[in-house]
Amino acid sequence: MSVAGVPIEVPSKILRRRDLEFLLYEWLEVEMLSTRQVFAEHNRETFDAVLDASERVAREHFYPINKLLDEQEPEFDGEFVTTPAPLKEALEMFAATGMLLAGQPEELGGMQLPYVIEKACSAYFSAASVAASGYAMLTLGNVNLLRAHATPEQVAAWVPPMLSGRFFGTMCLSEPQAGSSLADVATRAEAAPDGSYRLFGNKMWISGGDHDLAQNIVHLVLAKIPGEDGRLVPGVKGLSLFIVPKFLLDESGDPGERNDVAVAGLNHKMGFRGTTNCLLNFGEGAYRPGGEEGAVGFLVGERDRGLAIMFHMMNEARIGVGIGAVTLGYTAYLHALDYARNRPQGRPLGSRNPAEAPIAIVGHADVRRMLLAQKAYVEGGLALTLWCARLVDDAASAADPAERVDAARLLDLMTPVAKSWPSQWCLAANDLAIQVMGGYGYTRDYNVEQYYRDNRLNPIHEGTHGIQALDLLGRKVRLEGGLALRVLAQRIGATIARAADVAGADSEWTGYGAALASWGARFQVCLVRLQDGANVERGLANATVFLEAFGHYVVAWQWLDQACCALAAISSDGGVEISAGELAFYNGKLQAGRYFLRWELPRIGPMLDLLDELDATALEMRDEWF
């Protein structure tokens, strides 16, 4: 395909590899990670090899079953949960090709790849089939938590079977009566004479909670150990974390006796249908392991520190949710782009000749507007989430201790944004993909309606949009007196200076940098008012507005930073002439950045106006007025 004589690469409908390469190698400079001892065995060749493998397995084994998993939901007959056979085959291929081991240390048989590369690989799978990939991503989160907090004996018993794909993992937090309010968790964990515990309670919304895809399921369960008076400790301080497997292990480490964990039912969802979602009963008496009541559990880490430990998996899951939201928006964008390039409809505005052949709808300015908005959202979201993944690597392995500390601060600050911004704006990209395709986009004949339904879950799970907003404004921006915000401001300032250097003092990009600086100053003034101790409730009533404004500000900064990379590539004086395809790629980057900085960044003005006023409209609304 070509336009005006310039060849256009027909993109993959899963992800665009050239974009990944730009973000990883040109913008995030991940090849530099190979200079660190932990990644010394790797280079771009090994990074590319695992990306190649991920793309191939996702394309050949995950993408073909995506619609199948949407149409043939898991079934529960009252005792057993069954899933379509191709799902198990895809996950077995995922494990067989070593994808579960990509980011694991060598001592566990892993490839010891950087986290940012592992997340780039995972993007292929969530784009190809977010429902199928969910089982693997939950299992990896389970593994990483146990590696960080479990005893060596627990790691030896549970981690290798999960990394081989024999066992899968879950996280069990919510309960029917508690929802997101973990202080109200009522599951009890009673100490047994052998050092284990017996759990009694119910868990709701458990993704991957039961299935026929693995030999065993390792549940990580939040529960409360009764005090000396037999009562549960109020609030989150009494929460502890337990390994509660579906099957207990025999002396050889294989699944043996059935534990007292039973499925009460499946939740039937709008999207994400191929990932089972369960109500689980612990200790209801359906099974009696060892002849006694209760589901056998094993304490992970210290008693009463369960929530702090579980945040290891929750924070990792929040970055994963962000990437999943990005990829669902991204693949929908590529489907809409392909449709727009191949769907003839209408004629140029100046044409009055009905006999003239129709043009492809990509030729219409409003269609290009919608495609450009999608591109700006999904490529901006991919940059945001991969940058956060790179922060994980920097916090763990940067040579300079100060750099490690700053990376950890930024990661803590950005985790709610990495989860929520893509969940909002890449869902908006899904909406635009349907609009580009018109009535066809609204039918099941095309994939984009499913991508919208699948993505609609992401603003909800792993902490709703509002919960992330409260976390950001009520806690994260205040840590260490706002030190993370100052680190972020330094990085944004460096980009603003770079834009002036790369593009010239009088360029539009320098102007965008000045606009960013102005918005940054407004945020500082706004935060002073929001953090006024006399107006805490009014400030937090506006937390969602703050989250949305702050997310747009950060993504705008990253678009300016990407534009600097694109400008540098185009103006390189290395003597190598840039190809037409590469020039088109970089110009596309610049235009998407231009769109975001011109059309999207100004959205935060009215938001900051509301925040400056400490608007109380929502706070003062009363139930009886609805």
Side-chain angles (χ1 to χ4, degrees), residues 488-549:
L488 179 65
Q490 291 171 358
R491 299 207 176 186
I492 294 174
T495 296
I496 293 170
R498 184 185 178 197
D501 182 57
V502 171
D506 297 325
S507 77
E508 62 174 311
W509 302 102
T510 301
Y512 298 142
L516 268 180
S518 178
W519 289 120
R522 279 207 64 185
F523 267 108
Q524 292 177 11
V525 173
C526 181
L527 272 171
V528 171
R529 291 181 60 79
L530 289 170
Q531 294 178 340
D532 182 352
N535 292 296
V536 171
E537 191 173 12
R538 287 183 69 160
L540 291 179
N542 289 275
T544 297
V545 178
F546 179 83
L547 171 67
E548 293 179 5

Side-chain angles (χ1 to χ4, degrees), residues 94 154 237 298 356 446 502 547:
F94 186 93
Q154 288 172 334
K237 293 182 179 179
F298 309 96
E356 184 177 342
Y446 290 85
V502 171
L547 171 67

Side-chain angles (χ1 to χ4, degrees), residues 101 142 228 293 319 408 414 441 458 502 525 562 583 598 624:
L101 292 163
N142 191 308
E228 293 182 1
E293 294 182 344
I319 295 176
M414 294 308 305
N458 287 316
V502 171
V525 173
Q562 289 184 70
L583 184 60
R598 284 184 180 175
E624 61 270 21

Side-chain angles (χ1 to χ4, degrees), residues 281-366:
N281 294 339
F282 294 83
E284 71 167 13
Y287 305 91
R288 295 176 64 86
E292 299 182 17
E293 294 182 344
V296 177
F298 309 96
L299 181 67
V300 178
E302 297 179 26
R303 171 177 171 161
D304 300 334
R305 291 200 69 249
L307 186 58
I309 295 171
M310 181 59 90
F311 262 109
H312 186 112
M313 186 171 182
M314 290 166 66
N315 284 334
E316 181 177 329
R318 285 172 180 173
I319 295 176
V321 167
I323 290 176
V326 167
T327 57
L328 284 167
Y330 205 130
T331 189
Y333 159 61
L334 294 179
H335 279 73
L337 176 61
D338 180 69
Y339 181 90
R341 285 174 167 169
N342 291 284
R343 165 66 172 173
Q345 183 176 307
R347 293 166 181 81
L349 287 176
S351 173
R352 301 288 183 180
N353 182 5
E356 184 177 342
I359 62 172
I361 62 172
V362 73
H364 300 302
D366 195 59

Side-chain angles (χ1 to χ4, degrees), residues 17 105 115 130 162 183 188 215 235 241 292 405 451 455 467 584:
R17 177 62 173 267
Y115 187 74
V130 71
M162 283 195 278
R188 300 171 63 91
Q215 297 175 16
L241 185 64
E292 299 182 17
V405 171
Y451 295 140
N455 215 356
I467 287 173

Side-chain angles (χ1 to χ4, degrees), residues 22 26 561-571 586-587 589-590:
F22 171 81
E26 298 178 56
D561 211 44
Q562 289 184 70
C564 290
C565 288
L567 288 166
I570 290 173
S571 62
Y586 289 121
N587 279 328
K589 277 290 176 189
L590 293 173

Side-chain angles (χ1 to χ4, degrees), residues 32 180 255 274 278 283 323 411 584 601:
M32 293 179 60
S180 298
C278 306
I323 290 176
L411 183 62
L601 182 58

